[in-house]
Amino acid sequence: LDKAVLFPRPDGHDMPVVANLLASRKWIGDCLGVSEDGLITRYQDAVQNPLPWVEVEDGPVQAVVHSDVDINGQLPVPTHNELDSGPYIAAGLMISRNPTNGVQNVSIHRCQISGKDRIGVLLLPRHTWTYSRMAEEAGHALEVAIVIGVDPASLLASQAIVPMDFDEMEIVGALHGAPVEMVKCKTNNVRVPAHAEIVLEGRVLPGVAEPEGPFGEFPQYYGRRANRHVVQVDAITHRKDAIFHTIIGGGMEHLLLGGLPREATILESLQRHDPGVLDVHLSRGGICRYHLVVKIDKKQEGQAKNIMMGAFAAHYDIKQVVVVDRDVNIHDGESVEWAIATRFQADQDLLVVNNTQGSKLDPTTMEDGVGAKMGLDATIPLAADEFTFTVIKVPGA
Ligand code: MN
C-alpha cells in the first residue's frame, strides 16, 4: 500500500505514468530534508521568506514541442474511477497570469480531457477564477499553462493559502534554497518551470462553459457534472523521456498535499491572533481538510471559542474544530477523543454556526456549499479544582 507505483507502458503508451509519490509525511520530509515534525515549520518559513524565480532561455521541458495538439494521443492521461467522465489530468499545476499586472498564480484544478485540444476545468472562486473573471471582463481569454511532473516542493507550494498576487513559485524557491528556473511558454506569456516533465499551454476561453465531471474527489465522492470553464490547448511541450504524474483522488498523496500547507497557514493565522495556539492537525478521517484539532496553552475562559471562529475564517473547508490542552496528542485520534470524552459538555462547550460557506465538495452541503460549522471546546475549565483533572499516573511508569 505505501509504495509509489510506476506504469512503464500504460495501455501501450510509451510515456510512463507514476502515482503515489508523496503518500507519507515522512517521504515528504525526506524530499525537503527535514523530519516529519519539522515539516510545518519548514513550510511556514518558506511562505514567510519567498524567493523570486529567474527566467532562463530554454529548458528540458521544451525539448519536444507538439503544436498540432492531440492530448490523449500525446499523453497517457488516465481514467481514475469507475464513474469518472473520462481521462483527467489530476496532478497538473495550473499557472495563470493576472491580466492587469502579470503576477503569476499556481494552483491545482482537475482537468477533464474534453477533446483533442480541449480541457474542462473546475475553478473554485479563488485566484485563478478571479484572474479569469478579470480577463473575461476585458473581453480576453486568460493565458494559462498546465504543468505535469514537478518536484514535491512545487506540489506543496501550489496548495499554500496565501493572498492573491502572491506567486506560489516563490515558495518553491524558498523550499529549494535557490530560485526556480522558469521558461516562457511557446504560445503565450506564461512562465513555467524549466525542469518540469510536461506543459500544456492554453487559454481559459471567455464566456464559454461546457459539461465537466463527474470526477472522484478528495472526500471520496464524485464531484458532479456541470457546465464549467474550458481551456483551449495551443501546444504541448515535454522532456525527451517525460514521465506523467497523476494523483489518485482521496488517496494519501492527495490528502497530504492538501493538508500540510493548510496546517502551516492555519497555524500561522491562528498564532497571529493568539500566541497561545501551539499546534494544529488536520486529521485523516476528516480527509485532511474538514476536521481540525488545535492544541492551546489556555489562559482565558472563552479563548477556545475565539480560536474556533478564527479557524472557521482561516479556510472555508474547515467544518469541525476541536480545541484541546497541551497534554493531548493531536496527531492521535484516540487521544483527541479521550479529551472530548472527559473535558467536553455539549450544552456548555459546543459552538454551532449555521449557514456558513463550506466545501462545495462536501456532499452534505447545499448546492452552493452552504453548511454549518461545529466547534468543541475540550479544554479543562480554568476554575476547576486541580485534583478533578489530575491525570492518573503509575509511579515510575
Ligand atoms: Mn494563489
Side-chain angles (χ1 to χ4, degrees):
L1 192 75
D2 293 330
K3 285 191 170 75
V5 284
L6 180 86
F7 301 88
R9 287 189 61 83
D11 261 353
H13 208 290
D14 57 15
M15 188 184 285
V17 170
V18 69
N20 225 31
L21 275 176
L22 300 174
S24 91
R25 285 183 191 249
K26 180 170 185 316
W27 297 355
I28 297 174
D30 287 349
C31 293
L32 299 182
V34 293
S35 70
E36 247 174 280
D37 296 338
L39 263 177
I40 297 299
T41 316
R42 181 84 184 80
Y43 192 79
Q44 277 184 317
D45 185 59
V47 172
Q48 281 154 19
N49 300 286
L51 188 59
W53 44 265
V54 292
E55 189 161 344
V56 295
E57 282 302 303
D58 46 54
V61 73
Q62 293 180 333
V64 179
V65 179
H66 299 282
S67 44
D68 189 13
V69 173
D70 174 11
I71 303 170
N72 282 329
Q74 285 145 3
L75 303 175
V77 190
T79 299
H80 300 81
N81 301 288
E82 59 175 355
L83 300 182
D84 286 357
S85 60
Y88 265 83
I89 296 169
L93 301 191
M94 183 174 284
I95 304 185
S96 56
R97 285 166 69 83
N98 180 326
T100 60
N101 62 18
V103 174
Q104 296 206 150
N105 187 70
V106 187
S107 50
I108 298 181
H109 306 278
R110 66 189 204 214
C111 295
Q112 168 190 275
I113 311 308
S114 308
K116 279 179 78 157
D117 57 358
R118 224 167 163 81
I119 284 175
V121 63
L122 172 64
L123 304 182
L124 294 173
R126 297 194 75 241
H127 303 158
T128 314
W129 182 84
T130 307
Y131 288 178
S132 115
R133 290 231 334 192
M134 289 162 71
E136 198 166 69
E137 277 161 19
H140 301 136
L142 177 72
E143 296 185 333
V144 297
I146 299 163
V147 186
I148 303 164
V150 293
D151 70 301
S154 303
L155 289 162
L156 283 173
S158 74
Q159 301 305 296
I161 307 165
V162 288
M164 197 169 81
D165 287 344
F166 185 123
D167 185 341
E168 288 84 358
M169 206 47 74
E170 299 190 357
I171 301 172
V172 184
L175 287 171
H176 287 175
V180 179
E181 294 187 348
M182 303 279 274
V183 64
K184 186 182 164 304
C185 283
K186 296 287 183 188
T187 60
N188 65 35
N189 291 304
V190 177
R191 270 61 169 185
V192 294
H195 296 274
E197 299 286 318
I198 301 157
V199 171
L200 295 91
E201 304 180 358
R203 294 160 287 140
V204 179
L205 300 177
V208 177
E210 292 175 2
E212 183 274 331
F215 179 63
E217 271 288 354
F218 68 84
Q220 287 157 253
Y221 297 100
Y222 291 96
R224 64 177 63 247
R225 189 168 184 82
N227 282 332
R228 302 215 167 86
H229 289 86
V230 173
V231 175
Q232 174 73 44
V233 180
D234 298 313
I236 294 175
T237 73
H238 60 79
R239 283 178 178 250
K240 275 206 180 66
D241 300 305
I243 298 176
F244 187 102
H245 178 214
T246 196
I247 291 175
I248 308 301
M252 208 51 198
E253 180 171 32
H254 193 190
L255 298 186
L256 284 177
L257 282 173
L260 287 169
R262 278 173 173 76
E263 287 176 354
T265 39
I266 290 163
L267 179 60
E268 203 232 319
S269 159
L270 294 179
Q271 284 176 330
R272 210 177 307 141
H273 302 293
D274 186 340
V277 173
L278 302 175
D279 200 4
V280 298
H281 178 71
L282 288 163
S283 63
R284 170 76 165 99
I287 47 177
C288 296
R289 297 207 196 198
Y290 294 172
H291 288 182
L292 180 76
V293 188
V294 185
K295 180 192 285 207
I296 69 168
D297 180 20
K298 182 174 171 179
K299 291 280 191 265
Q300 304 285 325
E301 276 311 330
Q303 187 180 1
K305 283 184 180 157
N306 289 30
I307 289 165
M308 289 167 197
M309 292 188 282
F312 297 147
H315 200 287
Y316 55 73
D317 274 349
I318 294 174
K319 184 178 182 183
Q320 175 186 297
V321 178
V322 180
V323 183
V324 298
D325 294 303
R326 60 189 317 158
D327 62 328
V328 176
N329 179 2
I330 61 172
H331 299 276
D332 172 13
E334 282 188 19
S335 181
V336 174
E337 190 178 359
W338 169 78
I340 296 171
T342 63
R343 300 177 181 180
F344 167 83
Q345 283 295 335
D347 60 344
Q348 302 284 316
D349 302 319
L350 178 68
L351 174 68
V352 176
V353 187
N354 56 17
N355 294 320
T356 62
Q357 182 64 44
S359 164
K360 291 178 200 293
L361 293 171
D362 170 356
T364 64
T365 61
M366 287 183 273
E367 194 61 27
D368 51 356
V370 173
K373 310 284 188 203
M374 174 164 78
L376 290 79
D377 178 357
T379 59
I380 296 172
L382 292 174
D385 74 281
E386 206 185 320
F387 181 74
T388 306
F389 287 96
T390 297
V391 179
I392 61 167
K393 192 172 155 194
V394 177

